[in-house]
Amino acid sequence: GAGVSQSPSNKVTEKGKDVELRCDPISGHTALYWYRQSLGQGLEFLIYFQGNSAPDKSGLPSDRFSAERTGGSVSTLTIQRTQQEDSAVYLCASSLQIGGSLGDTQYFGPGTRLTVL
Amino acid sequence: GEDVEQSLFLSVREGDSSVINCTYTDSSSTYLYWYKQEPGAGLQLLTYIFSNMDMKQDQRLTVLLNKKDKHLSLRIADTQTGDSAIYFCAESLTGGGNKLTFGTGTQLKVEL
């Protein structure tokens, strides 16, 4: 079936504005992850959702960052009052489940390139 | 703590073998992965190895894991120009909810 999709592919915003990034995981995948790829920090984990459990938010860099996952499927990553250091590629991944098996393999979307001017 | 290191660049001639190395510090890794990223594209899973294995072969790809030294390598046989990309190793930790910790990435350049 279709892979992980993300929108928009590119987003340019002004410092101080809020942005929303969307991720559509692979159908049937219960786990969803957000990562950030930036020049200075490489690839960093941000947050993950697993089914109806409370999300692991341990990677979110500040309280300006939040994410939701509605109906166990689509997820939105929101960045409030964007700063220039938020400029990065935001990657979403999904996996069938969590728990130490082949089904845990994460499949990544193409990413959203965010530029904060 | 979690720290995954890779060399930044590797240049090989077409047809030669490429070996990309990765070291990690957390001994509680469960799975170790290799991802490929081409320019402007997302991450493509190449292969993975479970931490109780020493080697895994998949067509042109061979993964070697030395758990004692916390060293992982990816060998690409008969390297082609289409293999030019950035390669990331990543680890997931026991009890870590499968969130991945990525290496710094190795840019592989294949020359004719």
Side-chain angles (χ1 to χ4, degrees), chain B:
Chain B
E2 306 160 8
D3 200 11
V4 184
E5 299 284 340
Q6 297 177 242
S7 52
L8 290 179
F9 298 102
L10 176 65
S11 180
V12 299
R13 289 193 178 275
E14 188 177 41
D16 288 350
S17 292
S18 308
V19 179
I20 302 171
N21 294 302
C22 171
T23 58
Y24 59 98
T25 56
D26 201 311
S27 58
S28 60
S29 298
T30 52
Y31 283 93
L32 294 130
Y33 302 84
W34 284 102
Y35 282 87
K36 176 184 180 182
Q37 187 176 40
E38 294 179 271
L43 291 166
Q44 174 195 351
L45 176 68
L46 287 178
T47 188
Y48 67 93
I49 188 168
F50 189 50
S51 58
N52 67 355
M53 298 168 64
D54 297 324
M55 185 183 84
K56 180 177 180 181
Q57 188 153 3
D58 184 0
Q59 298 182 336
R60 292 191 297 124
L61 305 179
T62 303
V63 178
L64 294 177
L65 175 61
N66 182 329
K67 199 168 182 182
K68 174 176 172 289
D69 294 339
K70 299 188 181 66
H71 183 265
L72 180 75
S73 68
L74 173 69
R75 179 178 180 270
I76 306 172
D78 187 26
T79 313
Q80 303 297 308
T81 55
D83 295 324
S84 293
I86 300 176
Y87 290 80
F88 292 92
C89 62
E91 61 174 351
S92 65
L93 305 179
T94 302
N98 208 39
K99 56 191 177 190
L100 296 175
T101 299
F102 285 90
T104 47
T106 298
Q107 182 160 5
L108 174 65
K109 182 179 179 182
V110 182
E111 299 176 325
L112 296 173

Side-chain angles (χ1 to χ4, degrees), chain A residues 2-17:
Chain A
V4 178
S5 61
Q6 294 186 245
S7 61
S9 55
N10 282 283
K11 176 73 177 178
V12 179
T13 190
E14 293 179 348
K15 178 181 171 181
K17 301 282 190 184

